[in-house]
């Protein structure tokens, strides 16, 4: 369980760093990587999930475990879409004007 929690912590640190780098690059250079903006929050959410529920690491076996993993994945994707939207609202049809 300690290894799983450490792996989760590593995921959080790496993917949070990617989020920071994406925002830094957007602010300094005016560009960003779309996939990194969309999927880095998924890594943070997954890492937090592993840190808090280390026994859920690995392949889900029961229907309940599969549903929990799917909900966590959906939360991560929604967080990624929110991050991407905040980085580039014009892509989604919203104007800054």
């Amino acid at each position: 369980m300690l290894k799983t929690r450490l792996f989760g912590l590593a995921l959080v640190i790496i993917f949070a760093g990617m989020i920071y780098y994406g925002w830094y690059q957007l602010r300094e250079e005016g560009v960003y990587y779309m996939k990194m903006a969309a999927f880095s929050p998924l890594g943070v959410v997954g890492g937090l999930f592993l840190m808090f529920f280390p026994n859920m690491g690995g392949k889900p076996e029961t229907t309940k475990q599969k549903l929990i993993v799917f909900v966590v994945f959906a939360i991560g994707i929604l967080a990624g879409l929110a991050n991407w939207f905040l980085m580039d609202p014009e892509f989604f049809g919203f104007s800054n004007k």
Side-chain angles (χ1 to χ4, degrees):
M1 287 222 289
L2 181 62
K3 287 183 182 180
T4 306
R5 284 194 169 130
L6 290 175
F7 179 67
L9 179 63
L11 285 176
V12 169
I13 291 170
I14 291 168
F15 283 102
M18 291 172 66
I19 293 170
Y20 173 79
Y21 177 72
W23 279 96
Y24 173 80
Q25 190 176 24
L26 179 64
R27 187 180 66 239
E28 296 297 321
E29 301 172 20
V31 296
Y32 69 98
Y33 295 107
M34 184 184 328
K35 290 179 184 176
M36 189 168 67
F39 293 113
S40 293
L42 177 63
V44 172
V45 170
L48 289 172
F49 178 71
L50 286 176
M51 286 172 57
F52 289 116
F53 304 104
N55 57 343
M56 294 288 292
K59 186 176 180 189
E61 297 174 2
T62 66
T63 304
K64 181 180 176 182
Q65 289 176 342
K66 289 177 184 178
L67 182 63
I68 291 169
V69 169
F70 179 75
V71 168
V72 170
F73 180 77
I75 292 169
I77 291 294
L78 289 174
L81 286 173
N83 184 51
W84 182 18
F85 174 77
L86 292 172
M87 291 178 94
D88 190 7
E90 291 180 5
F91 182 86
F92 294 91
F94 292 90
S95 176
N96 285 341
K97 296 176 184 175

